[in-house]
Amino acid sequence: MTTANDIIADAATELGIIGEGNPLSADDAAQSLRRLNDMLNAWAEDGVDLGYFALALADTVDVPDSHLRAIRANLAIDMASMFGTRASAETVAIAAGSWRALKSAYVKTREVKLDAALTTMPSQSGGM
């Protein structure tokens, strides 16, 4: 099972901030966790509600692998400024594509019903 700490470590590794198996400092992990929680809450407001609102580092994040990829890549972009670096073009592309896929999966468009008077053209109703 993947934890919030695993996601944060993977994002940091993707940015080249830490090597595989090396932990972030407690302060950096805590700040990264705040960013992760802020990001997931913003996603929920945008209609991509994964059901997580206040993760702790040890909390399990039980979502499909495609969702983990989206979370990790988007978090890496967010964390980059924290560490004075930039995400690679590949990470940016993964983040953008996976975010679009999540929005497609979660955000449903609503059917709008218009009054018939608004859908009839003046030439169809005998006017003008």
Side-chain angles (χ1 to χ4, degrees):
M1 292 301 220
T2 302
T3 66
N5 192 55
D6 294 334
I7 293 169
I8 291 166
D10 289 347
T13 300
E14 198 162 313
L15 290 170
I17 297 163
I18 60 173
E20 193 70 37
N22 296 324
L24 285 171
S25 72
D27 286 343
D28 287 341
Q31 187 173 1
S32 298
L33 179 64
R34 282 192 298 276
R35 287 177 179 247
L36 174 59
N37 282 319
D38 289 348
M39 182 181 76
L40 293 177
N41 287 326
W43 285 10
E45 289 176 16
D46 285 342
V48 180
D49 189 353
L50 303 180
Y52 297 98
F53 298 100
L55 291 167
L57 286 171
D59 286 348
T60 299
V61 181
D62 189 20
V63 294
D65 288 345
S66 61
H67 291 36
L68 286 174
R69 187 174 189 198
I71 294 167
R72 186 174 44 253
N74 281 279
L75 181 61
I77 292 170
D78 194 0
M79 288 172 56
S81 64
M82 213 174 95
F83 293 100
T85 190
R86 299 180 79 150
S88 69
E90 180 182 0
T91 299
V92 171
I94 290 168
S98 58
W99 171 244
R100 281 191 303 273
L102 283 177
K103 286 210 49 146
S104 293
Y106 282 85
V107 178
K108 303 299 178 204
T109 56
R110 296 183 202 165
E111 184 177 324
V112 177
K113 294 187 181 195
L114 297 174
D115 185 288
L118 297 173
T119 60
T120 304
M121 299 294 290
S123 61
Q124 294 173 330
S125 62
M128 292 193 190

